[in-house]
Amino acid sequence: MHRDFTIKLGIYLVQPPHELDMHNFYNFQDLCYSVAEQACTLRWLRSAQAGVPTRLPTSVTIVFRGISDFRFLPRNPKKKFTEDDCVCGFGYWTDEDWAEGSVMICDDPEILDNHCLNAIEFMSGAIMVVQADTANATIVD
């Protein structure tokens, strides 16, 4: 997959000049998956919580295009709904038994097998898994 951004340490979205902490400073808002367009749009807004720098960009949108595999694994019903908007980590997914249904964090996408799917895990336990041709981030200051 071709991306115009990278992920660092599983939580930082890097698109120069930005390096954004998606776990601590941004709240996930929504996702829109279009079967007809083979696209999925994810949107985050800067958190209004105390301690979040107001100089950070106000929003981040990621659009996956050319989707060939899309999955959304359910949240843990025992977790608070307030955990649904917090990213636990960006990583990779494989259906291999050894992975035990976990999102893998890897800072070097060059070493990953091309069959690995992109994954975003939320603190609620929900996981979005996607394989696409491209992923593009739009950061709005």
Side-chain angles (χ1 to χ4, degrees):
M1 172 172 39
H2 174 71
R3 292 193 244 191
D4 66 355
F5 62 92
T6 58
I7 299 297
K8 179 178 167 185
L9 301 175
I11 62 168
Y12 295 95
L13 185 140
V14 180
Q15 187 185 60
H18 302 288
E19 185 171 309
L20 305 176
D21 182 339
M22 300 301 288
H23 171 73
N24 292 302
F25 296 148
Y26 287 87
N27 295 333
F28 183 68
Q29 299 299 298
D30 52 47
L31 79 90
C32 178
Y33 174 56
S34 170
V35 174
E37 295 177 17
Q38 293 178 292
C40 180
T41 301
L42 308 170
R43 189 172 57 94
W44 287 262
L45 293 178
R46 182 182 64 222
S47 175
Q49 291 218 358
V52 175
T54 56
R55 62 175 163 62
L56 290 173
T58 58
S59 69
V60 177
T61 302
I62 298 175
V63 178
F64 293 92
R65 289 187 177 85
I67 292 177
S68 57
D69 194 342
F70 178 84
R71 308 173 197 181
F72 195 88
L73 301 151
R75 65 185 311 282
N76 180 339
K78 295 178 182 174
K79 298 269 185 160
K80 297 177 186 176
F81 281 98
T82 55
E83 299 297 317
D84 285 336
D85 69 353
C86 185
V87 168
C88 180
F90 289 84
Y92 300 90
W93 181 271
T94 181
D95 291 322
E96 299 290 331
D97 290 338
W98 57 264
E100 299 177 347
S102 298
V103 173
M104 299 174 292
I105 304 299
C106 179
D107 277 340
D108 186 359
E110 299 295 321
I111 67 171
L112 290 172
D113 183 86
N114 287 334
H115 300 291
C116 289
L117 302 153
N118 291 272
I120 302 172
E121 184 173 9
F122 297 89
M123 294 301 291
S124 66
I127 300 172
M128 188 198 89
V129 179
V130 63
Q131 181 74 327
D133 293 334
T134 64
N136 299 99
T138 302
I139 298 170
V140 176
D141 288 318

